[in-house]
Amino acid sequence: MKVSIDPDLATLARSYGVAVEYRDQQGVVKSVAPATIRAVLAALGVDGSSAKACRLALAKLKTRHWEAVVPPVIVLRRSSDAEAEPWETWVHVTHGASVRVWVDLEDGGQRHDVVRTNRRIEPGSIGGQRIEEVIYRIPKDLPLGWHRFVAETKGQEFACSLAVAPERLELPEVLEERRGWGVATQLYSARSKRSWGIGDLVDLSELSSWLGREFGCDFILVNPMHSSAPTVPMEPSPYLPVTRRYANPIYIRVEEVEEFAYLPRADREWIEDLAVPLHAADLTADLLDRDATWAAKCAALELVHGVSRTPGREAEYRDYLESEGSGLDGFATWCALAEQYGHSWNEWPAPLQDPTSPEVAAERERLAGRIEFHRWLQWILDIQMAGAQTSARAAGMGVGIIHDIAVGVHRYGSDTWTSRDVMAREVTVGAPPDSFNQLGQDWSQPPQRPDQLAATGYRSYRDMLRTLLRHSGGLRIDHVLGLFRLWWIPEGMPPSMGTYVKYDHHAMVDILVLEAHRQGALVVGEDLGTVEPWVRDFLAERGILGTTILWFEASDPEGRIPLPPQKWRARAMASVTVHDLPPTRGYIAGDHVRLRDELNLLTRPAEQEYSAHELAVQSWRDLLVDMGMLRKGSGTEELVVALHRALTASPSRLISVALPDLVGDRRTQNQPGTQDEYPNWRVPLCDSNGEPVLLEDLPDCDFINTVISAVGGSTRGQSPR
């Protein structure tokens, strides 16, 4: 049904990238309700309540453009095409005023060969004063990096950030010559006998060293390690953090902190006693208890923090603090306040909800010791994350650790408190209705404002990428479509009443490519679901890999006929399963259908769902038999191996194997559409009998060799690949 929208409201919405209509999963054009458009505009600080208000808002937008002397930010992309458009930007000056323009380079130099063109732009005016828009050509040989574009007029300097990104992100050299493969794990579930109840960064180091040396593994893909609030109960979902820049200290291995060795004997023994019940929990298949782990680790780390550092260690710590700057200070302050007043800042005393208030300044003084503790925790995490990547590369991995980036953050967490100017309020992000969820989805996470991202020079986005990339060989971007557009849902409305808001995908992707290039890292975008073909093409052109899941690859719209692996995309990471599905054994058995039925999440009768699932599995069996990868009548174990072998028939540049598939686990880590109905993100790694599997058990698991051989891995003594 076509909804009538006032032309002024539609014009204003489009000016801010707010969609007034969109195509749903079936390609049907849907109109957006005017109430939704007005609410989304309000979240952007724009009044669209009436036709008159819309016209005033458009006039303000135009005035704001002419008031700016330089753009808010300039993001440029190199091109090997000699015919490519020149790099140009504008400068606004009052009529007749002189202007001097140059570029301050990141390395400290300057470039004055910024040339004024003769191109004329229709002038504007402010308060009756004529404003000229002068077009300048920027030299295309500027070095890659973050520079500063400066214009001086009437004795004043006006500047903005100028980023120069490479044309595309190249794969690590070793992967240009061959396919790479690796293992995906939810780190907290992968425990050892020395874990404190959950897998930690030293476990990651051990796992990467073993997989790299024994099997020639190229990477380990881990869950987002972003921080939760340092309070109990601790949020179990790694995809609902309080910040995306800093990590969760629950992943620290206490005994590996250098100062631990210098504790008095009685303190070390006390810490060892703290760990005893957690070590015992590692030996069970019970659900993970983050609260118990964090309570014990926090107490232990407080003791270790009190040990004096050597002069060299102190200098390293001070360097770290300087490199992180105000971002770390803000996060640590939020943590200290969260411990005092609760994990949601909207429930704090009103004056503390504003990080710039005098009351917050007073609390910083009162809580200085606690703030310092949370700064120190991030330094220790940084050291142990560096250790994991060093271990991975030393073991021969071509990539190392690939970290995952969640699509958003908790609406009342650290990022929304410290970056209030960038985060939108009274809206959340999610997904429109589709065949998987007919009501749509609300992820309860506030979006970043595209206008404010640009106005702040993408600083928070850039700094987040830099921190995550510092000790990694790659990044996985959850819901990479979020770099292009996000589904905004006004507060109080159902997900079906949302609309899309556009982002400057050129700038977002260019900055991502630049920061990954500087670290020699690869990037994988999770581009599943309803994604327009041009988006995948754009990402592929920039060197960003896509995501291919075997069960979702079909050659018919209904998903009944498997798409032969030979026809899959080359620029992608391929796998059989992911964390939102059961491990392969469980999927084959229809465990996900059974669970969704028990939780009343099915949109059609269970019999139909089971029938469709069994047909899909049988279709894959038939295809694998035709490909010569499976014998007729083979059992589940043989089918699991054949499904992984099928990945090697694809042109995909990377192959990912889920760690649970290597040991025969069946339980899913996350059931979408649930919160407390299923123990999401709390399931430890187990075998097919439900018995816990620790890292020490892996060498004795014969099935690992079978699956790894199927995807092209090697074993010690064999010629790699």
Side-chain angles (χ1 to χ4, degrees), residues 78-353:
R78 280 197 175 161
S79 174
S80 57
D81 182 1
E83 303 300 319
E85 292 293 320
W87 289 350
E88 292 182 343
T89 192
W90 52 262
V91 174
H92 290 156
V93 293
T94 55
H95 180 62
S98 62
V99 61
R100 190 167 66 93
V101 175
W102 70 92
V103 175
D104 288 333
L105 299 176
E106 188 176 34
D107 65 4
Q110 287 187 336
R111 292 288 293 269
H112 292 273
D113 51 342
V114 183
V115 180
R116 180 170 181 162
T117 70
N118 294 322
R119 188 146 61 90
R120 282 190 55 78
I121 305 296
E122 187 67 27
S125 66
I126 301 176
Q129 188 173 34
R130 181 175 168 177
I131 306 296
E132 303 284 354
E133 183 164 292
V134 184
I135 305 301
Y136 281 87
R137 186 160 294 174
I138 298 171
K140 298 189 75 171
D141 62 345
L142 287 182
L144 301 177
W146 287 87
H147 312 298
R148 189 167 170 263
F149 180 80
V150 188
E152 182 186 54
T153 182
K154 294 183 177 180
Q156 283 187 283
E157 287 187 7
F158 301 87
C160 68
S161 295
L162 187 161
V164 179
E167 181 173 26
R168 61 182 286 108
L169 183 63
E170 302 297 340
L171 287 172
E173 187 175 348
V174 66
L175 298 185
E176 290 291 354
E177 303 170 357
R178 59 169 175 79
R179 187 205 313 271
W181 74 275
V183 172
T185 181
Q186 299 290 301
L187 179 59
Y188 52 83
S189 72
R191 305 168 298 173
S192 69
K193 292 179 180 178
R194 298 179 181 179
S195 304
W196 288 40
I198 70 164
D200 59 35
L201 284 162
V202 173
D203 291 323
L204 179 58
S205 294
E206 292 292 334
L207 182 61
S208 62
S209 182
W210 180 68
L211 287 170
R213 296 177 192 279
E214 291 291 327
F215 301 104
C217 178
D218 285 303
F219 65 85
I220 294 185
L221 169 62
V222 295
N223 56 278
M225 299 184 67
H226 314 315
S227 187
S228 299
T231 56
V232 295
M234 180 171 280
E235 169 60 50
S237 173
Y239 291 93
L240 187 58
V242 297
T243 178
R244 296 192 297 171
R245 180 174 178 180
Y246 294 107
N248 194 333
I250 201 170
Y251 292 113
I252 292 173
R253 175 70 66 83
V254 176
E255 297 90 334
E256 289 297 311
V257 181
E258 186 170 314
E259 284 72 27
F260 174 82
Y262 300 100
L263 283 168
R265 180 186 297 273
D267 287 345
R268 290 202 307 275
E269 291 175 349
W270 182 78
I271 289 176
E272 289 166 1
D273 289 341
L274 274 180
V276 168
L278 300 173
H279 292 326
D282 291 329
L283 304 177
T284 75
D286 296 342
L287 295 178
L288 304 176
D289 187 346
R290 285 176 173 80
D291 294 346
T293 295
W294 176 237
K297 282 195 175 183
C298 186
L301 289 165
E302 285 169 353
L303 269 182
V304 179
H305 177 244
V307 177
S308 297
R309 292 180 287 273
T310 64
R313 287 271 286 177
E314 182 64 24
E316 291 173 13
Y317 179 46
R318 294 301 160 192
D319 282 349
Y320 171 78
L321 293 181
E322 184 177 351
S323 69
E324 291 302 301
S326 60
L328 179 58
D329 293 341
F331 171 68
T333 300
W334 182 89
C335 288
L337 290 171
E339 290 177 324
Q340 294 281 311
Y341 302 103
H343 68 273
S344 294
W345 60 257
N346 67 313
E347 298 175 356
W348 297 355
L352 299 183
Q353 295 181 23

Side-chain angles (χ1 to χ4, degrees), residues 65-83:
H65 169 71
W66 287 107
E67 285 177 337
V69 176
V70 297
V73 63
I74 303 169
V75 182
L76 303 172
R77 170 191 174 189
R78 280 197 175 161
S79 174
S80 57
D81 182 1
E83 303 300 319

Side-chain angles (χ1 to χ4, degrees), residues 618-690:
Q618 186 60 48
S619 296
W620 271 105
R621 280 185 177 273
D622 294 342
L623 178 60
L624 292 170
V625 169
D626 291 344
M627 294 174 65
M629 293 185 172
L630 184 69
R631 293 179 295 104
K632 282 188 176 181
S634 295
T636 297
E637 188 167 294
E638 290 82 4
L639 178 56
V640 171
V641 175
L643 288 166
H644 283 89
R645 185 175 291 115
L647 302 178
T648 66
S650 78
S652 301
R653 300 300 300 148
L654 296 180
I655 288 177
S656 175
V657 182
L659 183 61
D661 278 351
L662 294 177
V663 298
D665 205 348
R666 287 183 56 153
R667 291 183 296 176
T668 185
Q669 278 293 336
N670 176 51
Q671 174 54 56
T674 66
Q675 187 168 354
D676 298 319
E677 302 92 331
Y678 180 80
N680 294 326
W681 318 113
R682 286 173 282 173
V683 177
L685 186 68
C686 292
D687 62 18
S688 57
N689 297 316

Side-chain angles (χ1 to χ4, degrees), residues 387-718:
Q389 176 65 0
T390 298
S391 293
R393 294 307 299 269
M397 287 192 174
V399 177
I401 311 303
I402 299 180
H403 286 281
D404 200 351
I405 300 181
V407 68
V409 295
H410 191 286
R411 65 189 309 178
Y412 299 118
S414 166
D415 279 2
T416 60
W417 186 72
T418 59
S419 301
R420 298 161 68 90
D421 54 341
V422 172
M423 307 301 295
R425 300 185 187 183
E426 299 182 347
V427 287
T428 54
V429 297
D434 56 30
S435 59
F436 296 102
N437 195 319
Q438 296 176 0
L439 299 177
Q441 300 175 58
D442 187 339
W443 301 331
S444 76
Q445 298 170 324
Q448 294 179 308
R449 289 177 49 169
D451 58 334
Q452 286 300 103
L453 276 170
T456 56
Y458 294 93
R459 184 176 58 250
S460 59
Y461 174 61
R462 178 200 66 191
D463 291 347
M464 180 266 293
L465 290 173
R466 285 182 176 178
T467 298
L468 292 174
L469 282 162
R470 185 160 54 226
H471 304 305
S472 68
L475 293 179
R476 174 189 178 271
I477 312 296
D478 189 45
H479 192 63
V480 73
L481 186 61
L483 301 182
F484 296 76
R485 65 179 187 177
L486 279 172
W487 184 256
W488 287 28
I489 306 164
E491 197 171 69
M493 294 186 182
S496 58
M497 288 287 287
T499 188
Y500 283 111
V501 176
K502 291 182 181 179
Y503 289 76
D504 185 345
H505 62 274
H506 288 281
M508 298 285 280
V509 173
D510 283 346
I511 292 169
L512 172 62
V513 168
L514 171 60
E515 295 302 329
H517 168 81
R518 300 178 103 177
Q519 294 298 326
L522 58 79
V523 176
V524 179
E526 186 270 290
D527 56 356
L528 303 175
T530 306
V531 180
E532 296 171 283
W534 74 266
V535 170
R536 289 196 172 104
D537 292 342
F538 181 88
L539 292 170
E541 289 170 3
R542 303 310 321 280
I544 294 175
L545 302 177
T547 298
T548 296
I549 308 301
L550 178 142
W551 298 118
F552 299 159
E553 290 299 306
S555 56
D556 65 314
E558 291 76 28
R560 297 173 182 171
I561 305 173
L563 181 69
Q566 297 89 334
K567 296 183 179 181
W568 295 357
R569 290 179 291 166
R571 303 290 300 187
M573 174 188 285
S575 66
V576 177
T577 190
V578 288
H579 56 262
D580 286 336
L581 297 172
T584 303
R585 284 176 189 251
Y587 189 90
I588 292 169
D591 289 357
H592 58 303
V593 179
R594 189 173 302 108
L595 178 59
R596 289 165 61 204
D597 184 29
E598 293 172 357
L599 299 176
N600 297 315
L601 295 175
L602 296 179
T603 58
R604 57 181 174 176
E607 295 76 15
Q608 292 183 24
E609 200 75 31
Y610 277 117
S611 177
H613 169 70
E614 289 170 359
L615 180 62
V617 173
Q618 186 60 48
S619 296
W620 271 105
R621 280 185 177 273
D622 294 342
L623 178 60
L624 292 170
V625 169
D626 291 344
M627 294 174 65
M629 293 185 172
L630 184 69
R631 293 179 295 104
K632 282 188 176 181
S634 295
T636 297
E637 188 167 294
E638 290 82 4
L639 178 56
V640 171
V641 175
L643 288 166
H644 283 89
R645 185 175 291 115
L647 302 178
T648 66
S650 78
S652 301
R653 300 300 300 148
L654 296 180
I655 288 177
S656 175
V657 182
L659 183 61
D661 278 351
L662 294 177
V663 298
D665 205 348
R666 287 183 56 153
R667 291 183 296 176
T668 185
Q669 278 293 336
N670 176 51
Q671 174 54 56
T674 66
Q675 187 168 354
D676 298 319
E677 302 92 331
Y678 180 80
N680 294 326
W681 318 113
R682 286 173 282 173
V683 177
L685 186 68
C686 292
D687 62 18
S688 57
N689 297 316
E691 294 298 319
V693 176
L694 303 183
L695 298 188
E696 291 87 350
D697 303 324
L698 295 179
D700 297 324
C701 182
D702 294 334
F703 194 58
I704 289 178
N705 294 295
T706 306
V707 176
I708 287 180
S709 294
V711 298
S714 62
T715 56
R716 187 180 290 274
Q718 291 182 335

